[in-house]
Amino acid sequence: MSFPQRYGPWALVVGAALGLGAEFCRQLAERGLNLVMVALEKDELDTLATDLADRYGIRTQTVTGDITAPEVLESVALLVDDVELGLIVYNAGLSVCGMWLDTPLERHLKTIDINVTSMMTVLHRFVPPMIERGRGGVVLLSSMSGLLGTPMYASYAGTKALTLNLAESLWDEWRPHGVDVVAVVPGPTDTPGYRADQPRTIRNSPKVMPVAPVVAAGLAALGRRPSVIPGRANRFNGTLLSRVLPRSKAVALMGKSMREMYAGE
């Protein structure tokens, strides 16, 4: 069965305008899937949608807004209800960089709202038709910070740990019904969000990956495994930190690296 037959004819990409989300749209369009694209950045979203439609001959629909807003979700639902949705990519995310108590509580709660609550809402709303048809796919964006405690990214790391565990759990629950689930667990990736946090380059800092191979690894893993860490060096580091070293040692090393990268200590 071809990729469009398995996961088409339409894909929903949330967080579609920039970075990994935009690259997911490009690679899915290249595979022939039509796109419902959701993002905050109207100009970038509209430009990308027009370019992909012209380049690959696909159909695109866009919704501009915050996926946590009920009216935005309803706008998405109106579009999705009129098409046969075969794939969901939830890439919307918010990170909080800094010491936990130095960050307003509202920022932490917003991170949970975008990274967790809205993700679950999208899945609960749009996956049941896939289950009924007996085919479909879900791609959730976790992070290597979700593998263990990550000081200076505590709330973000917590949400990404939940995303990883949720995806792996749903991988087992939904695969008997023909719906594949994969968690993509990137390391440092060259996205606008990563650049905005302005990390310092430190000794032995991990190499920053471009978005294209991260997305390619995620799509290649869909239907084959419950989660994937793109990049050989990232997989090595992930194994070392989450499985080899004692937990206290691994978290302390992560904290030291984070403070060097983001606090200059």
Side-chain angles (χ1 to χ4, degrees):
M1 185 180 294
S2 68
F3 194 94
Q5 289 172 326
R6 180 68 179 155
Y7 302 116
W10 285 83
L12 168 64
V13 181
V14 183
L18 303 169
L20 287 168
E23 185 62 26
F24 269 107
C25 289
R26 292 187 189 97
Q27 294 195 24
L28 292 175
E30 188 175 20
R31 287 167 165 81
L33 269 64
N34 304 307
L35 298 169
V36 176
M37 305 162 64
V38 186
L40 290 168
E41 303 85 2
K42 177 175 174 53
D43 291 344
E44 292 87 345
L45 184 66
D46 290 344
T47 298
L48 178 63
T50 300
D51 177 66
L52 295 179
D54 291 344
R55 182 177 302 182
Y56 298 105
I58 64 163
R59 297 170 61 191
T60 60
Q61 298 277 7
T62 62
V63 176
T64 303
D66 185 341
I67 192 61
T68 66
E71 63 272 15
V72 173
L73 183 65
E74 286 308 307
S75 295
V76 175
L78 287 173
L79 293 177
V80 169
D81 287 346
D82 287 337
V83 302
E84 187 174 321
L85 184 68
L87 182 66
I88 297 170
V89 178
Y90 193 91
N91 177 66
L94 179 65
S95 64
V96 178
C97 180
M99 303 302 284
W100 197 83
L101 284 177
D102 292 340
T103 303
L105 177 61
E106 291 76 13
R107 181 76 173 176
H108 294 300
L109 296 179
K110 184 66 173 179
T111 300
I112 295 170
D113 200 15
I114 293 176
N115 297 7
V116 175
T117 306
S118 290
M119 175 184 67
M120 289 185 172
T121 302
V122 166
L123 296 182
H124 210 272
R125 172 65 180 78
F126 300 125
V127 168
M130 297 183 190
I131 299 288
E132 292 176 5
R133 287 196 302 269
R135 65 175 182 85
V138 173
V139 179
L140 302 181
L141 273 294
S142 181
S143 165
M144 286 187 65
S145 65
L147 299 177
L148 75 163
T150 306
M152 299 197 72
Y153 273 93
S155 291
Y156 177 80
T159 65
K160 293 306 179 179
L162 185 146
T163 299
L164 175 58
N165 282 274
L166 178 69
E168 292 186 334
S169 300
L170 297 179
W171 170 82
D172 186 70
E173 287 190 20
W174 291 348
R175 62 178 177 153
H177 304 284
V179 176
D180 300 322
V181 183
V182 69
V184 184
V185 189
T189 305
D190 187 19
T191 64
Y194 180 82
R195 292 192 296 270
D197 286 339
Q198 299 180 322
R200 296 175 177 84
T201 300
I202 62 174
R203 182 182 179 184
N204 297 323
S205 60
K207 183 178 180 180
V208 178
M209 287 186 67
V211 293
V214 174
V215 170
L219 294 178
L222 184 64
R224 292 178 171 84
R225 57 181 69 95
S227 59
V228 60
I229 300 177
R232 182 178 301 176
N234 288 334
R235 288 192 291 275
F236 174 82
N237 289 335
T239 300
L240 178 67
L241 290 170
S242 64
R243 300 182 184 179
V244 177
L245 293 177
R247 198 73 172 179
S248 58
K249 178 68 172 178
V251 174
L253 284 174
M254 182 67 79
K256 181 176 183 295
S257 296
M258 291 297 103
R259 284 187 285 273
E260 289 177 355
M261 291 174 66
Y262 294 102
E265 295 182 8

